Amino acid sequence: MKAIILAAGKGKRMKSDLQKVMHPILGKPIVQYVAEAAKEAGFKDITVVVGGEGGEEIKKGLSTCEGLHFAVQQTPLGTGDAVKAGAGQIAPDDDVIVLCGDMPLVTADFIREMMDYKKNNPCEAVVAAVFRGEAMGDFGRVFDRRDEFIEIVEARDITDEHPATNWGNTGIYLFKGASLLSGLEKMKNSNSQNEYYLTDVPKILREEGKTVRVFHTRADMSVFTGINTQSHLAEAVGYMRERINEGHMANGVRMIDPRSAFISSTVKIARGVTIYPGVILEGNCEIAEGATIGMGCHLIDAKVGKSTSVGPFAYLRPGSVIGEKCRVGNFVEVKNATLADGVKMAHLAYIGDADVGKNVNYSCGAITANYDGKNKHRTKIGDNAFIGSNVNLVAPVEIGENALVAAGSTITDDIPPFALGIARERQCIKENRIKK
Ligand code: UD1
Ligand code: CA
């Protein structure tokens, strides 16, 4: 069982400097979703065909995705030519699936169904067709007679001679290795784009008298959303968001407005968490039971402990680890900082590169001055310390447990436990000054 994922096309229609298949959907590149679906369906030998130009960008972008091989199609001469570029490892007795790298919503379930179909209906090749009704768009048209494949005609090559059809070519195929290899040798590029169309291979096989079948899938057509334009990309983000959020809700996560919560597939959320509108959770966030993520929060690689409340409008950047029963309120930014249980940081504060002890109160307007223009320095705050309003903690600095820092202080020296630290001008009164 081998998989070939086509990802060498230029993606001209995206009008973007980024490789088409590297555009992110909820924090992950388009093509990575395809590779993960193939893996989940049991494929261990997966070749991604990348372009001569931009191929390195794709390889690099997929470096965290284990077990992929790469093949290079120097010039994008069509989908058929791309498969040829990736066919180096294919043996005649292999079963091969071909997937489009621009189809991120394809599921492992669909791939398994297609393989079952081929098992139950022995043949040399299977073409998967999806019912598109009025929405044929630029999908290739699939023609068959009772599941016996006739041909695929590209949208731009369709003429009045062709009968109407509602079935679009998903661009996903299963082949017996030997038939694929022989078909690829016989392709020609005599079409309106002078490209080698992979869609010609099943036709060549059929003309040789081999059995080629059409698998008419019942899967929702959103599964086969191919991304050719920015508008398709936005559509795919919408479907992916829905799929991910439905999964969380099924696990007992309460979402006030799932349409406006953008949660990456890598995020873990426990049951009993509430997510308000306009939340973005990216990377390896972990949200523990009973936590609340308020409106408009943006979290990246952050951990939130049990029963903690975050937001509205908080920004938790990578390395934020928030304990249990904490409160990280409105307009608070946290970066690379650990907050132990019970910390209150209720509003308008910044804490970066810091370790904060239990039950610390970090008041409105307090900040860590963690960067001296060259290096980052750490701040340590002991358990039960009280940081007053509008305090500047100039790092590196340590505030002892149970210490109190007076409002408006700029702290440059360590404060021992149980001490009061105060660093500000004394107030003076000029009597009747205003009357003069
Ligand atoms: C293709 C199919 C069409 C099908 C549609 C489904 C052909 C000729 N047409 O059209 O029938 O309905 O997919 O989305 O196959 N690619 C390469 N090298 C190339 C050209 C393309 O690797 O030289 C890759 C692209 O990166 C992309 C995939 O193949 O991931 C599909 O190519 P694309 O140009 O998007 O084909 P469609 O016009 O969508
Ligand atoms: Ca496409």
Side-chain angles (χ1 to χ4, degrees), residues 182-202:
S182 83
L184 289 172
E185 288 311 314
K186 292 168 192 154
M187 278 183 309
K188 296 201 173 66
N189 63 348
S190 44
N191 50 56
S192 61
Q193 300 207 93
N194 296 323
E195 283 188 358
Y196 293 94
Y197 287 173
L198 180 58
T199 49
D200 286 350
V201 172

Side-chain angles (χ1 to χ4, degrees), residues 285-403:
C285 284
E286 285 178 31
I287 318 294
E289 207 171 325
T292 300
I293 311 295
M295 175 163 170
C297 290
H298 189 170
L299 278 64
I300 308 165
D301 297 335
K303 286 201 174 96
V304 174
K306 277 187 195 165
S307 305
T308 280
S309 119
V310 179
F313 305 108
Y315 185 25
L316 307 191
R317 294 164 54 202
S320 299
V321 180
I322 318 291
E324 297 181 9
K325 293 187 179 145
C326 291
R327 183 157 162 234
V328 177
N330 50 300
F331 305 107
V332 171
E333 177 173 333
V334 182
K335 186 216 74 167
N336 192 24
T338 308
L339 276 55
D341 297 346
V343 170
K344 302 266 181 298
M345 204 171 276
H347 25 232
L348 296 154
Y350 169 65
I351 188 141
D353 303 305
D355 299 297
V356 181
K358 277 185 211 151
N359 303 317
V360 164
N361 193 304
Y362 193 90
S363 305
C364 183
I367 62 145
T368 51
N370 56 319
Y371 185 49
D372 61 13
K374 268 197 183 138
N375 297 305
K376 304 277 167 66
H377 302 281
R378 276 196 99 74
T379 298
K380 268 187 97 171
I381 304 176
D383 293 350
N384 308 309
F386 185 99
I387 312 296
S389 294
N390 216 30
V391 162
N392 301 315
L393 298 171
V394 182
V397 73
E398 189 170 339
I399 312 299
E401 55 182 55
N402 295 286

